[in-house]
Amino acid sequence: ESDPDRVRDAMLALQSISSRAVQPLITALASETAYQRRTDAKTLGIIGDPRAGASLLALASTDSDDGVRSAAATGAANCGASGDAVALFLQLGDDYHHRRANVLRDLDYSDVVWDWDGGKLVARAVPRSVYNNELAKDAFYSALGLAPDSMDAAAGIARESVDIQGKLAALESAGQDVSEMSDAAAEGMLAVLAAGPDALDRALQMSVASGDSATGARIAEQLGHLATRPTDGLQAALVGGGASMAGEAAVALAHIAVSTNTSASTEVVNQLGKAAGRRVVKVALIIDGDAQRATDLVAALDGQGVLAQHAGTGAQGLLALGQLSGGDVLLVGDDVPDITTDAVVARIRQNPAYDATPTFLLTADEDLAEAYGDRIQGSFAGADGIDALQEVFDARLDDNRARADALAARAAMAISALAATGADVNLAMDGLMAAIDGRRDGIAIPALAALGKAGTAGSVDGILAVLNNGDASDEVRIAAANAVGAIGGRLDLAEAVSNSVRDVLNGDGSLPLKSAAAAALGRMNLGSAARAGVLQGVRVDIGSSE
């Protein structure tokens, strides 16, 4: 304040820096010094970047200094801001979340976000993939500061916290060291719990409306721990969300039904069965303006068990990258209508979550493919060339797949809980049978528990296949024995079933496995002759001979 010439020079320099100076200048509006806030507001007004509008509008109505309020009001008008600052912050947060071009062009990204600490600006490094979330979170917190009762502000904070944790998990899965940031993200999840079920439900509705399946699924999982009744968001996710979002919503709604002693809908049971049986083996994202080529590719990939998602423009594809939180391969067409294919590939390589993800160019032009060099891992013209991807799919295992397996296990446990209340879970039977067919123990064991409660005679052959699989673990075979015993206690099963269980009892398995087989036979409805045969088979005499 004592050196106006220096201040003028600084303001001129910041004006020449222009948009790159906007984020730190917005943060510096928190200065304890009125003179600094005033010159800061003047500088932002001269730059006139719309991203500063909400902050200047808020300052114009809340600052204690007349000069600051006047400078902020003028600056806000120069930035095109008017009306309600809370509404502007909410819109700004949503724009940042979706990486819309009005707030985040390529030149707007930075390696850092800014904090005001100890009377000065402090830069905090963040991965590019969560840069937009940090800015969105700041906007939502600003809205909450002005309107503590704003449900949308609390929902926005929760959504960004969930999204940040998911993206950092994807980076860690890709081999990056994000341990320090992961700790901070875990603390940030406290905001998700503190926001309460109503705010989380609003965040879930936002995700459903925007098709943000990855974030929505994580929100639905968190909401399942807090909600005590079926909510609008869970219902919307159940019928209008993607596969993972619908599955998580079904798990949450099932546990709500059990805890409140109410009925779960048939759609809940149906989605639980799908989630329990789903195997997300391979994931591909296609960014291509050639709709027919993309349709053919999706069909061909589906035939190979690949979950393929198509984006028809470059902007949609880059948005999908922020929402997918993982993927095995990216396919970029040479016909992208809104931005160049080169720009799409460049953005992929600039995204830490995808800079190592195999990327293939969809083109018949070999010269064009060669021009991309090591920025791509190969090229092919269309669906006939997807064999080139097999090695990629065989090599990669990502966070999406692990989450799908975890959801399958939770879905099986939810079916089991519903079945224990006497609910009709027949619609989930196919999914449960798929869940025990060669799946890992963490999925198969809860699925077998559910089959024990609700399985029918038609379920028994698949359960016996697990029981008699000598390569399977004792734990899953014991679970299979328990399941067939439970079914056999409710239904009269064919003699061949008890004979199959007796083979395990009389085999060379471990004592715990044999004990489970014996208990299964004990629970089954056996005739006198069959029961006597079992007893003869397990006769053991105690003593010693010389």
Side-chain angles (χ1 to χ4, degrees):
E1 189 169 2
S2 62
D3 191 345
D5 290 338
R6 185 179 182 214
V7 172
R8 185 188 66 250
D9 291 343
M11 291 176 67
L12 290 171
L14 289 165
Q15 292 166 39
S16 68
I17 294 172
S18 189
S19 62
R20 297 291 291 176
V22 168
Q23 294 300 344
L25 282 172
I26 290 173
T27 303
L29 290 172
S31 171
E32 299 82 1
T33 305
Y35 180 82
Q36 190 170 30
R37 296 197 303 275
R38 185 166 70 250
T39 53
D40 191 337
K42 286 181 180 179
T43 306
L44 282 169
I46 294 170
I47 294 173
D49 193 307
R51 294 174 297 170
S55 296
L56 290 171
L57 197 63
L59 198 67
S61 62
T62 61
D63 201 276
S64 59
D65 184 89
D66 291 341
V68 174
R69 290 198 303 274
S70 176
T74 302
N78 290 343
C79 292
S82 62
D84 180 18
V86 173
L88 291 181
F89 274 125
L90 293 175
Q91 184 59 57
L92 185 65
D94 198 57
D95 287 342
Y96 278 131
H97 176 81
H98 292 292
R99 305 185 187 205
R100 295 187 179 116
N102 62 309
V103 295
L104 274 181
R105 302 158 295 175
D106 278 344
L107 57 86
D108 295 320
Y109 279 86
S110 173
D111 296 327
V112 301
V113 292
W114 298 91
D115 297 322
W116 186 260
D117 186 23
K120 63 181 180 180
L121 284 165
V122 178
R124 174 164 46 90
V126 295
R128 182 185 177 95
S129 61
V130 301
Y131 179 72
N132 68 307
N133 299 110
E134 286 293 323
L135 296 182
K137 188 171 63 173
D138 284 347
F140 288 125
Y141 266 114
S142 295
L144 190 68
L146 294 172
D149 61 345
S150 172
M151 187 65 68
D152 284 346
I157 292 166
R159 181 177 63 173
E160 301 316 312
S161 300
V162 168
D163 205 18
I164 288 170
Q165 189 180 60
K167 288 178 180 178
L168 290 179
L171 291 176
E172 189 171 33
S173 178
Q176 295 195 34
D177 182 9
V178 293
S179 54
E180 291 185 10
M181 296 175 191
S182 294
D183 290 343
E187 290 189 20
M189 288 296 287
L190 297 176
V192 176
L193 300 175
D198 290 341
L200 275 179
D201 195 60
R202 178 70 185 119
L204 181 55
Q205 292 177 58
M206 292 176 180
S207 296
V208 174
S210 62
D212 190 351
S213 181
T215 305
R218 289 182 168 90
I219 293 171
E221 182 182 355
Q222 294 295 327
L223 186 55
H225 299 311
L226 297 179
T228 57
R229 56 175 178 77
T231 67
D232 291 341
L234 287 172
Q235 297 289 2
L238 183 71
V239 299
S244 58
M245 207 185 323
E248 293 289 5
V251 171
L253 288 166
H255 286 305
I256 291 170
V258 171
S259 64
T260 59
N261 197 28
T262 56
S263 299
S265 70
T266 56
E267 185 58 24
V268 167
V269 176
N270 181 44
Q271 290 295 344
L272 287 175
K274 289 181 178 180
R278 185 177 295 114
R279 304 175 191 233
V280 179
V281 179
K282 308 160 190 174
V283 180
L285 174 62
I286 304 166
I287 305 174
D288 192 11
D290 187 333
Q292 186 57 57
R293 177 169 61 186
T295 299
D296 293 343
L297 273 167
V298 170
L301 289 167
D302 183 68
Q304 294 193 3
V306 179
L307 180 63
Q309 179 176 338
H310 171 228
T313 69
Q316 291 173 353
L318 294 172
L319 176 61
L321 286 178
Q323 298 171 346
L324 194 59
S325 269
D328 296 295
V329 68
L330 305 176
L331 308 177
V332 183
D334 57 6
D335 179 17
V336 182
D338 53 342
I339 58 179
T340 66
T341 298
D342 188 72
V344 174
V345 173
R347 288 286 295 275
I348 290 170
R349 290 294 169 250
Q350 291 166 3
N351 188 332
Y354 289 95
D355 60 358
T357 302
T359 302
F360 287 75
L361 186 66
L362 300 173
T363 185
D365 187 339
E366 294 182 2
D367 291 337
L368 176 63
E370 186 175 348
Y372 278 85
D374 59 4
R375 290 193 296 160
I376 61 173
Q377 280 62 58
S379 67
F380 52 90
D384 293 341
I386 64 171
D387 288 345
L389 306 178
Q390 194 56 53
E391 184 177 344
V392 171
F393 288 132
D394 289 343
R396 291 180 63 86
L397 183 67
D398 62 23
D399 181 58
N400 276 357
R401 207 158 299 121
R403 285 190 59 80
D405 281 356
L407 173 56
R410 290 197 300 275
M413 288 186 279
I415 297 168
S416 182
L418 285 175
T421 68
D424 182 357
V425 294
N426 284 330
L427 283 176
M429 285 300 106
D430 289 345
L432 289 176
M433 295 307 296
I436 68 172
D437 184 12
R439 304 294 293 275
R440 62 179 180 82
D441 288 6
I443 299 170
I445 289 174
L448 286 163
L451 286 167
K453 292 183 176 69
T456 65
S459 312
V460 171
D461 285 346
I463 298 172
L464 289 177
V466 177
L467 176 61
N468 289 285
N469 181 4
D471 293 328
S473 70
D474 270 10
E475 289 78 11
V476 76
R477 294 179 73 188
I478 289 170
N482 294 337
V484 75
I487 295 172
R490 298 194 311 270
L491 307 172
D492 291 331
L493 301 177
E495 184 178 351
V497 175
S498 60
N499 288 340
S500 184
V501 179
R502 285 179 65 180
D503 289 343
V504 175
L505 177 63
N506 297 325
D508 56 1
S510 68
L511 182 58
L513 176 59
K514 290 185 176 184
S515 297
L521 289 166
R523 296 178 68 182
M524 293 171 67
N525 298 323
L526 300 180
S528 299
R531 184 78 63 193
V534 171
L535 292 172
Q536 290 288 354
V538 297
R539 177 173 177 173
V540 176
D541 295 322
I542 304 299
S544 61
S545 60
E546 296 181 3

